[in-house]
């Protein structure tokens, strides 16, 4: 909301969206149905969309506006999370939904789109590419050719693209070059929904809003860091897609390296989009590039038993359903501190967390209950999902005579301290893009830096023939992942 | 005094031990506390309503709730309670604690001596002074220094003007003051503000219509807020038939005609020129309004400006 609004009350009013049109390419797809439309409806429910917004859906299927509205009505009803569905509100919301059928390669479709935007009188336009990645460049080119990508004196044109941003460093660079032929980097919003999660944003608040942790946040006090994103389910019908991606590409290269950057970056001088993204990018660039001979010792690929029997998966698929890697950061703050990152499917439970293991006290004054010296008792756990929150483990004297110590945990539960409904990642990120706030979006240099960090692993794995499957569903991945940490005298937290 | 702070604190500790034992199998209970909330209930029935409201409110603002119920001639007495819930997607029970204090009006000084040690240190203290009697002179003024913020509801007062004057004078003396009658307007205000997001239309006159025999404090606040935002416009209020509260607001000027009208109990329709759109109003239950107020721990500059 501009500061000039005489009725502004930022303490009580939610951030709102300016008058605009959102054009969704791939409007018949799962993402639109499950995430985008429910998020937009929810924004309308909270009075955050202006009365005159417009959503224009596109896909190949011929549909009338009304048929599109009916389809979206069912989807929003089905996939709306933690919110009531209000038919009357929907009726008003649906009046602003429009549909243009047509192929993404057909210039006529873009001409129709231009006409529609002109009829609706929309100068601010957000293009959302919820399509196959192979369409990103052609759609950007076509928008450019149809003169739909140019900023107008009275309005902006932005483009949102979903991951994957390329499938390796080279293709990511080529994609960036292609998109930049039409849109400047300032108008490109690469969405990584992990960064839109409240609890990931809370990492920044936790680190830079408090004075007590930052002095300890370095190689002197932190022994190592573990980042885990585990899923208990398998590929759930996405086998054909997944066998082209794998855990390293699907999770680590983007989501988890962004989380790592949030954990390890320097504080920015101001909380502004480019200042924060500069720090994230600097950190990603500081990740040590593995030499080819270092890869086998620092990266582990796994595949669960049964993956090759999933629909759409080749019987000899070499793709990783589990990936673990050790990253080192070459800067003064983190030199020598391993960051262990892992992600996998069919693991024992669904959990995403970050564990920061502090060094033990310099001298072991006390014995633990069983008489042995307590090892590295201080552990800070930032839980992303489920049960979002923060736990700090420390030693306490066990009741009774004698000085026996036992680890205890101090918990902060996000849900209990702030029971209010949190906006979904897509609600947050859509409002950000519409307001031109790119803080939580990934910039070109960040994408390329994170591909550079994993590229040696991809190169090594593509030249090998793994003896898959190498882990059983319901376990924490292949034994080699444990051995990777054992070599450093560490072990995964499997709880 | 029959209720001793030490005993109440001991009872609270015992309560947590008991809750921990009861829930041991499911990982114990998580204690949550973000503030002390003192609530002055009007009577026995109101105390029951407060308990129900606290049950909802504690999910968003876990606190040590101290509910003060005045009962004519009663000695000071207290009992402890807990409100527990399992958050969505979680498996561990979360609990917040409460103390219900009963006392006769003559025992207010004893009550204050009891309350001081029960306040959770280092966290905000909010006093929710319920009902119309909150605006009577004297009364519970002695409780005010305990709180960093005092919440009233001038909508329950018989004389809106007098109630607003009481709040204005109190604010001038220093404490942060909030009024649920102001929070009831948030939906209306937000919809009106939205029409000024992208441009500032030229407005020369504004009419607010209201239901009820006389303009409520919400209606007065609304008109005053609009007047402060549009100082060159003439802002008037006029009565209409129907339920008390704001019914519509119409802004007119050269090339401008914006009308926001109550469509039903929970939504408004906004009409700008030929375009019309319906918006949902936020819920106006006590727990929803208190949830909004408890979310504001610092100064509320906009309300302060409207109040003073």
């Amino acid at each position: 909301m501009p500061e000039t609004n005489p009725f502004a009350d930022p303490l009580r009013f939610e951030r709102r969206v300016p008058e605009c049109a959102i054009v969704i390419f791939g409007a018949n797809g799962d993402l639109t149905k499950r995430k985008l439309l429910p998020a937009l409806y929810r924004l309308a429910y909270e009075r955050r969309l202006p009365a005159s917004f417009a959503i224009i859906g596109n896909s190949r299927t011929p549909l009338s506006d009304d048929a599109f509205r009916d389809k979206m009505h069912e989807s929003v009803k089905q996939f709306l999370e933690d919110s009531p569905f209000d038919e009357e509100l929907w009726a008003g919301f649906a009046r602003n939904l429009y549909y243009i059928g047509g192929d993404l390669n057909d210039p006529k479709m873009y001409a129709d789109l231009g006409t529609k935007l002109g009829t609706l009188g929309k100068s601010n336009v957000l293009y959302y590419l919820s399509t196959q990645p192979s369409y990103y460049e052609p759609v950007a080119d076509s928008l450019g050719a149809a003169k739909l990508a140019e900023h107008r004196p009275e309005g902006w044109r932005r483009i949102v693209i979903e991951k994957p941003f390329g499938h390796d460093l080279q293709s990511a660079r080529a994609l960036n070059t292609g998109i930049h032929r039409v849109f400047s980097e300032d108008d490109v919003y690469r969405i990584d929904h992990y960064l839109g999660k409240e609890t990931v944003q809370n990492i920044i608040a936790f680190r830079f809003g408090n004075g007590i942790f930052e002095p300890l946040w370095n190689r002197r006090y932190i022994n190592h860091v573990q980042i885990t994103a585990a899923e208990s389910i398998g590929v759930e019908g996405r086998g054909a897609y997944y066998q082209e991606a794998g855990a390293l590409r699907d999770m680590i290269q983007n989501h988890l390296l962004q989380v790592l950057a949030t954990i390890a970056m320097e504080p920015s001088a101001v909380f502004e989009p480019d200042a924060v993204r500069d720090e994230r990018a600097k950190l990603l660039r500081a990740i040590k590039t593995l030499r080819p001979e270092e890869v086998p010792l620092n990266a582990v690929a796994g595949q669960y038993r049964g993956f090759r029997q999933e629909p759409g998966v080749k019987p000899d698929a070499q793709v990783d359903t589990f990936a673990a890697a050790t990253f080192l950061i070459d800067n003064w703050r983190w030199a020598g501190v391993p960051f262990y990152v892992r992600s996998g499917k069919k693991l024992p439970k669904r959990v995403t967390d970050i564990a920061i293991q502090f060094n033990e006290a310099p001298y072991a004054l006390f014995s633990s209950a069983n008489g042995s010296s307590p090892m590295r008792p201080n552990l800070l756990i930032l839980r992303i999902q489920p049960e979002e929150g923060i736990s700090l483990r420390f030693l306490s004297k066990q009741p009774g005579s004698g000085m026996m110590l036992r680890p205890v945990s101090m918990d902060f539960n996000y849900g209990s301290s702030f029971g209010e409904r949190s906006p979904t990642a897509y609600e947050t990120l859509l409002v950000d893009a519409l307001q031109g706030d790119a803080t939580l979006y990934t910039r070109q240099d960040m994408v390329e830096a994170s591909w550079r960090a994993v590229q040696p692993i991809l190169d090594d794995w593509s030249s090998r023939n793994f003896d898959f499957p190498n882990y059983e569903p319901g376990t924490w991945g292949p034994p080699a992942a444990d051995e990777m940490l054992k070599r450093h005298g560490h072990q995964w937290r499997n709880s | 005094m029959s209720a001793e702070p030490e005993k109440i604190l001991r009872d609270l500790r015992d309560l947590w031990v008991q809750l921990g034992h009861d829930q041991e199998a499911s990982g114990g209970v998580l204690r949550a506390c973000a503030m002390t909330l003192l609530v002055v209930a009007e009577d026995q029935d109101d105390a029951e309503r407060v308990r129900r409201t606290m049950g909802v409110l504690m999910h968003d603002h876990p606190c040590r709730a101290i509910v003060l119920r005045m009962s004519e001639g009663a000695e000071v007495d207290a009992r402890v309670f807990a409100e527990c819930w399992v958050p969505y997607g979680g498996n561990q029970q979360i609990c917040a604690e409460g103390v219900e204090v009963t006392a006769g009006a003559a025992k207010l000084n004893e009550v204050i001596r009891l309350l001081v040690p029960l306040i959770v240190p280092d966290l905000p203290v909010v006093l929710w002074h319920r009902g119309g009697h909150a605006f009577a002179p004297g009364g519970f003024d002695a409780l005010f220094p305990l709180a960093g913020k005092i919440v009233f509801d001038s909508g329950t007062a018989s004389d809106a003007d007098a109630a607003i004057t009481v709040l204005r004078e109190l604010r001038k003396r220093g404490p942060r003051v909030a009024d649920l009658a102001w929070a009831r307007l948030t939906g209306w205000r937000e919809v009106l503000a939205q029409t000024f997001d992208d441009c500032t239309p030229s407005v020369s006159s504004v009419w607010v219509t209201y239901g009820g025999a006389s303009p409520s404090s919400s209606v007065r606040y609304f008109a005053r807020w609009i007047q402060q935002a549009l100082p060159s416009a003439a802002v008037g209020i006029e009565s209409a038939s129907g339920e008390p509260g704001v019914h519509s607001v119409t802004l007119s000027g050269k090339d401008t005609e914006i009308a926001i009208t109550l469509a039903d109990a929970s939504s408004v329709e906004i009409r700008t020129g030929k375009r019309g759109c319906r918006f949902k109003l936020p819920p106006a239950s006590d727990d929803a309004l208190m949830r909004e107020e408890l979310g504001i721990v610092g100064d509320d500059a906009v309300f302060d400006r409207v109040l003073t």
Side-chain angles (χ1 to χ4, degrees), chain A residues 365-377:
Chain A
L365 195 60
F366 308 108
S367 296
S368 66
N370 63 9
S372 63
S373 298
M375 289 293 287
R376 297 191 194 106

Side-chain angles (χ1 to χ4, degrees), chain B residues 153-187:
Chain B
D153 186 356
S154 64
T156 59
S158 51
D159 182 341
D161 261 346
I164 291 173
T165 304
V166 168
L167 299 187
R168 183 180 299 133
E169 292 307 314
L170 181 59
R171 181 68 183 113
K172 278 183 190 161
R173 295 207 302 271
R176 288 194 183 105
V177 170
D179 188 351
L180 298 187
W182 173 247
R184 268 184 207 102
L185 286 169
T186 299

Side-chain angles (χ1 to χ4, degrees), chain A residues 429-440:
Chain A
L429 293 167
L430 278 167
V431 172
D432 282 356
L434 291 164
Q435 291 193 323
D437 180 349
T439 309
L440 300 177

Side-chain angles (χ1 to χ4, degrees), chain A residues 1-2 4-9 11-14 16 18-19 44-52 82 86 88-89 95-96 386-387 411 413 415-420, chain B residues 30 32 59-62 88 90-92 94 182-183 186 189-194 196-198 225-226 229-230 264 275 277-280 282 292-293 296 299-300 302:
Chain A
M1 185 161 47
T4 50
N5 187 328
F7 292 111
D9 188 352
L11 210 53
R12 290 181 190 258
F13 299 167
E14 293 282 359
R16 288 195 300 275
E19 191 181 331
Y45 187 91
E46 291 184 344
R47 304 170 300 284
R48 295 171 72 178
L49 287 184
S52 52
D82 306 343
D86 185 295
E88 274 192 28
L89 183 75
R95 275 198 294 274
N96 294 319
E387 302 209 23
D411 275 327
N413 185 303
S416 69
S417 298
F418 307 101
E420 293 170 37
Chain B
L30 200 60
H59 296 212
D60 294 339
H61 298 284
Y88 179 77
N91 55 30
Q92 195 177 26
I94 296 164
W182 173 247
T186 299
R189 295 195 304 118
E190 205 167 14
V191 172
L192 175 55
Q194 199 177 88
F196 284 69
D197 269 351
D198 299 308
W225 176 66
I226 295 168
L230 304 173
D264 56 45
R275 287 189 66 90
C277 186
R278 190 177 274 229
F279 286 95
K280 206 85 190 145
E292 180 175 323
E293 284 304 336
I296 300 170
D299 287 332
D300 182 351
V302 176

Side-chain angles (χ1 to χ4, degrees), chain A residues 58-222:
Chain A
N58 158 264
S59 76
R60 247 195 307 253
T61 316
L63 282 178
S64 65
D65 287 343
D66 281 339
F68 179 59
R69 289 166 187 153
D70 288 345
K71 276 187 92 148
M72 292 303 119
H73 176 260
E74 293 314 304
S75 301
V76 171
K77 257 175 102 166
Q78 187 181 350
F79 296 113
L80 193 62
E81 291 172 19
D82 306 343
S83 300
F85 183 83
D86 185 295
E87 290 287 355
E88 274 192 28
L89 183 75
W90 172 263
F93 178 83
R95 275 198 294 274
N96 294 319
L97 292 184
Y98 305 92
Y99 185 83
I100 294 174
D103 193 285
L104 291 172
N105 296 316
D106 181 1
K108 183 178 174 303
M109 192 276 288
Y110 296 93
D112 292 346
L113 177 59
T115 307
K116 182 61 121 183
L117 288 170
T119 312
L120 294 171
K122 298 298 172 200
S123 333
N124 296 325
V125 185
L126 183 81
Y127 300 109
Y128 200 112
L129 271 61
S130 175
T131 65
Q132 293 288 330
S134 56
Y135 281 112
Y136 292 169
E137 266 189 80
V139 170
D141 281 338
S142 302
L143 288 170
K147 307 262 182 254
L148 294 175
E150 294 163 358
H151 276 260
R152 313 290 156 95
E154 69 282 11
W156 43 257
R157 303 286 158 118
R158 298 180 187 137
I159 188 164
V160 179
I161 54 177
E162 281 275 343
K163 70 156 186 130
F165 315 121
H167 55 90
D168 56 16
L169 177 58
Q170 196 183 355
S171 58
R173 281 178 175 154
L175 175 64
N176 285 329
T177 306
I179 298 279
H180 288 163
R181 276 198 302 271
V182 180
F183 290 92
S184 73
E185 179 61 25
D186 287 346
D187 296 321
V188 181
Y189 288 71
R190 295 174 193 80
I191 198 164
D192 184 330
H193 73 271
Y194 250 63
L195 291 180
K197 286 178 183 284
E198 288 277 304
T199 40
V200 174
Q201 294 178 62
N202 192 37
I203 294 171
I204 298 177
F206 178 79
R207 284 194 58 198
F208 303 133
N210 297 296
I212 60 171
F213 300 106
E214 203 53 26
L216 309 178
W217 216 258
N218 57 56
R219 63 191 302 277
R220 191 166 168 204
Y221 298 100
I222 291 179

